[in-house]
Amino acid sequence: MRLSVVVPCFNEERGLQHLHDALSAVLPEASEDFEVLLVDDGSSDGTLAELRRICADDPRFRFIALSRNFGKEAAMLAGLSQATGDAVALMDADLQHPPELLARMVELLGHGYDQVVARRTRKGDKPVRTLVSRLYYRLINKMVDVELKDGVGDFRVLSRRAVKALLSLGEYNRFSKGLFSWIGFDTAVVPYENVQRQHGETKWTFGKLLNYGIDGVVSFNSKPLRMAIYLGLLTTGLAFIYAVYVILDSIIGGVDTPGYATVMVGVIAFGGLQLLFLGVMGEYLGRIYYESKRRPHFLVKESSDGAPVTVALGTEAMEHAEFLQHAHSHSHTEAKAK
Ligand code: UDP
Ligand code: MG
């Protein structure tokens, strides 16, 4: 069995040598035949130079470099589409995903699972972030159709079948946590202790996390739009009752006060609600706009194999599923060129 390990790297120059050492120490144990596919996600430090050096020294390591920073989702997708293994592992470059776990995870995959995911504890995280995450997952699982688990991230090993399924989902906005869950298949979970980042810095600012959270909600269904309908119905109902009261009151008691406060509260509340749901609708509209462009998910500027890399996704990926296993071969490039 051949194992591919896909690692997205964004400004990780200081940690890559450690990553190489750690992986070369544990991977032979996990699989007799393996490759490590490092994806440079448009880093602005010396990451690419490090990748060139590492891959020149060790033929088991390959890299592709994206033309700019496309984000981790795109980088992982790039790696998945180019991986040649029967099983594909996804992990971070910063060694927060302990490589020692890989052997156990690959072994589980051999027991007939299609996904083996590692689940981290939240030990050492900031208490506020832990709390927010807990609340978020409780809330989001009420809202989306797929199940999202706290502590379960991108650290996982996938069977070739699961990889094909993932590649067949051609959407541009990729919320991979949801996609992994959406494809289903038998999934095994391996718990591990949380590890702090050793080199470099996390790329998650508060703003990015917030956006990621919103992505999670709107990526998987249109329930927020449904919520708009319910809230609209509720407020219309309340307004109707209040209108009856106001009319009766003025008929019986006559028109006395100007009612400034009530009007203001009404205007502000409804204005806010309308803006909120205009935003929700805009969010979906924006997604449709992006999807309709059908742009490639990433562009490649350089790879250790020399040849430029192209990717087919969606239904095309299903048709080219055989190609995708050898996506770096010439036949594929030519097929796309036609
Ligand atoms: N990463 C990437 N592109 C980005 C941001 C991050 O490829 O735009 C990679 C990064 O190099 C690392 C992984 O994604 O290998 C996880 O990033 P990070 O450690 O910053 O996230 P955290 O572990 O804090 O959630
Ligand atoms: Mg990290």
Side-chain angles (χ1 to χ4, degrees):
M1 196 212 63
R2 182 168 163 81
L3 172 71
S4 300
V5 181
V6 168
V7 188
C9 311
F10 178 53
N11 294 345
E12 302 281 2
E13 90 183 305
R14 282 192 288 159
L16 286 176
Q17 187 57 48
H18 300 275
L19 179 75
H20 172 269
D21 298 345
L23 284 178
S24 1
V26 298
L27 284 182
E29 210 181 299
S31 171
E32 72 276 14
D33 181 19
F34 69 86
E35 64 167 355
V36 178
L37 186 52
L38 302 154
V39 184
D40 173 34
D41 186 16
S43 302
S44 52
D45 64 355
T47 298
L48 183 53
E50 271 289 281
L51 293 185
R52 285 196 200 104
R53 186 183 62 77
I54 288 171
C55 297
D57 288 350
D58 188 340
R60 298 170 304 178
F61 284 65
R62 296 163 58 208
F63 77 84
I64 50 177
L66 306 188
S67 63
R68 64 169 171 85
N69 180 239
F70 280 90
K72 187 184 175 188
E73 302 284 346
M76 286 194 303
L77 184 69
L80 279 181
S81 71
Q82 303 307 309
T84 57
D86 308 302
V88 182
L90 286 168
M91 66 182 291
D92 285 359
D94 54 11
L95 293 178
Q96 279 186 295
H97 295 162
E100 311 81 67
L101 277 184
L102 283 171
R104 169 103 189 90
M105 291 165 77
V106 171
E107 189 196 321
L108 272 172
L109 201 77
H111 293 342
Y113 290 104
D114 280 277
Q115 299 198 57
V116 180
V117 308
R119 180 175 195 170
R120 71 182 178 100
T121 59
R122 287 207 167 263
K123 201 180 131 220
D125 270 14
K126 290 202 190 90
V128 187
R129 192 173 153 186
T130 310
L131 187 75
V132 172
S133 299
R134 287 246 167 82
L135 284 174
Y136 174 70
Y137 281 100
R138 192 166 290 175
L139 193 79
I140 195 173
N141 277 313
K142 293 225 166 69
M143 297 184 74
V144 300
D145 306 327
V146 293
E147 200 200 349
L148 303 176
K149 284 203 196 91
D150 189 12
V152 167
D154 300 317
F155 187 22
R156 60 185 66 218
V157 183
L158 304 161
S159 67
R160 176 45 62 182
R161 180 160 82 146
V163 173
K164 269 191 201 171
L166 277 176
L167 291 174
S168 73
L169 308 178
E171 62 219 75
Y172 192 81
N173 291 291
R174 298 183 84 80
F175 184 72
S176 62
K177 247 188 195 195
L179 296 179
F180 288 136
S181 173
W182 189 90
I183 62 167
F185 293 122
D186 293 343
T187 304
V189 179
V190 178
Y192 71 99
E193 278 281 291
N194 199 14
V195 186
Q196 297 303 316
R197 190 181 243 282
Q198 301 296 319
H199 305 273
E201 262 150 44
T202 175
K203 280 97 206 171
W204 286 101
T205 55
F206 177 74
K208 274 194 183 177
L209 273 178
L210 192 67
N211 278 323
Y212 184 74
I214 293 179
D215 270 351
V217 179
V218 288
S219 284
F220 270 84
N221 60 25
S222 47
K223 272 191 195 153
L225 290 176
R226 181 61 51 90
M227 252 168 57
I229 298 180
Y230 286 135
L231 252 167
L233 278 177
L234 184 74
T235 45
T236 319
L238 288 177
F240 187 75
I241 294 170
Y242 185 61
V244 171
Y245 164 77
V246 169
I247 292 169
L248 285 182
D249 190 43
S250 49
I251 290 174
I252 296 163
V255 185
D256 44 11
T257 44
Y260 173 75
T262 346
V263 173
M264 272 323 274
V265 169
V267 167
I268 292 168
F270 285 104
L273 257 182
Q274 279 168 1
L275 275 183
L276 177 70
F277 283 107
L278 207 59
V280 172
M281 276 168 63
E283 181 68 32
Y284 285 100
L285 187 68
R287 274 156 198 272
I288 296 171
Y289 177 56
Y290 263 100
E291 298 293 342
S292 68
K293 294 187 202 213
R294 299 185 58 91
R295 288 202 178 146
H297 293 71
F298 55 86
L299 296 173
V300 175
K301 68 174 175 191
E302 188 183 329
S303 80
S304 48
D305 305 333
V309 182
T310 45
V311 193
L313 286 168
T315 41
E316 223 180 320
M318 278 311 209
E319 286 160 25
H320 290 268
E322 290 318 305
F323 282 130
L324 273 168
Q325 294 191 27
H326 316 281
H328 56 282
S329 73
H330 288 290
S331 51
H332 178 65
T333 326
E334 278 160 24
K336 279 295 289 177
K338 269 185 223 154

